[in-house]
Amino acid sequence: MALTATVDVELKIRHSVPQRREPTKWRRIMYAITGITGKVGGAMARALLAAGQPVRAIVRDATKGRQWAALGCDVAIATMEDAEALTQAFKGATAVFILPPPVFDPEPFYPEAQAVIDSVATALRAAKPARVVCLSTVGADAVQDNLLSQHTKMETALSALPLALTLLRPAWFLDNVAWDVSSARGAGLIHSFLAPTGRALPMVAAEDVGRVAATLIQQDWSGTRIVELEGPERVSPDDLAAAFTTVLGKPVRAVPVPRETWEALFRSQGMRNPQPRMRMLDGFNEGWIAFADEARTIKGTISATTVVQALVAGEGA
């Protein structure tokens, strides 16, 4: 598979610490996936199942696990804050995929994320899987505090554990344009917090992230490695508007949302602590949330137009 070769060649390794691990051939293969009901986790699970690999779906309640059980998956019930339940869900797994639940309006100092981090670290320490892949993000290495600092905390905690760890850092998700389908169709506008609208940034489809995660988790490595992932080309808000123009067959343009209106807008939408989100957007616009070296990122295959087509079709053309 070409993707596997690409990952092997272009993998960015932070450090590698030799560890004693039970050889995979003596273990019953099982891939335990958190976040399986979302786009990334679902894409990862489907890719593993298509490759004939066994999957354990970790879900919050049995109802959410039924569709995965029907596909032949093991099902384990656990929330990300429940260390005891997670330990049981991780036990016997060859490898575990960690997808931290998103918190878009966190309390100061990110206590919600810290509760998940503590639980996940405790469970991994007890269950001792051979390998772990954690979904992180571009900008997890940023020094400035912002919404993505929750991922920085998770990376720091998991990197301290004596296990083989891959930190998968995807770019801005193309799927975020789901919020723009209605305004693009109705008013011919998409409202962009990224500015200027002509500046292209790394973006990636959730489906690509899931497929790459499925490839990575089947590999063998030691220590901690960082994999940075973006789509086949860099994309600007103007490019996203052009994709909508193509798909909808009508002119669509990107309009920047003025920085001075952000706080009032976010608070009107119910946010209590919008500063972390605002600082994250500043990071993308000011360039301090970015991949350090484009040449070392791996590339997905799904274009912005393909993502827009799927989202528009999903809402009805």
Side-chain angles (χ1 to χ4, degrees), residues 139-161:
D141 56 347
V143 175
Q144 297 91 330
D145 184 70
N146 70 95
L147 192 65
L148 304 182
S149 297
Q150 299 171 89
H151 292 278
T152 309
K153 290 175 174 289
M154 177 67 84
E155 285 196 1
T156 300
L158 297 192
S159 295
L161 299 178

Side-chain angles (χ1 to χ4, degrees), residues 238-256:
D238 287 344
D239 294 329
L240 294 174
F244 274 110
T245 296
T246 298
V247 172
L248 294 174
K250 60 177 285 185
V252 177
R253 60 189 179 92
V255 178

Side-chain angles (χ1 to χ4, degrees), residues 89-113:
F90 293 167
K91 276 188 175 178
T94 310
V96 174
F97 179 64
I98 302 298
L99 196 161
V103 181
F104 297 110
D105 187 21
E107 294 293 331
F109 307 110
Y110 313 111
E112 306 93 341

Side-chain angles (χ1 to χ4, degrees), residues 1-23:
M1 182 176 178
L3 180 58
T4 303
T6 301
V7 171
D8 287 341
V9 170
E10 298 188 5
L11 203 59
K12 177 182 176 183
I13 306 295
R14 176 192 284 173
H15 58 81
S16 181
V17 181
Q19 301 168 54
R20 292 184 60 190
R21 291 183 289 114
E22 183 180 354

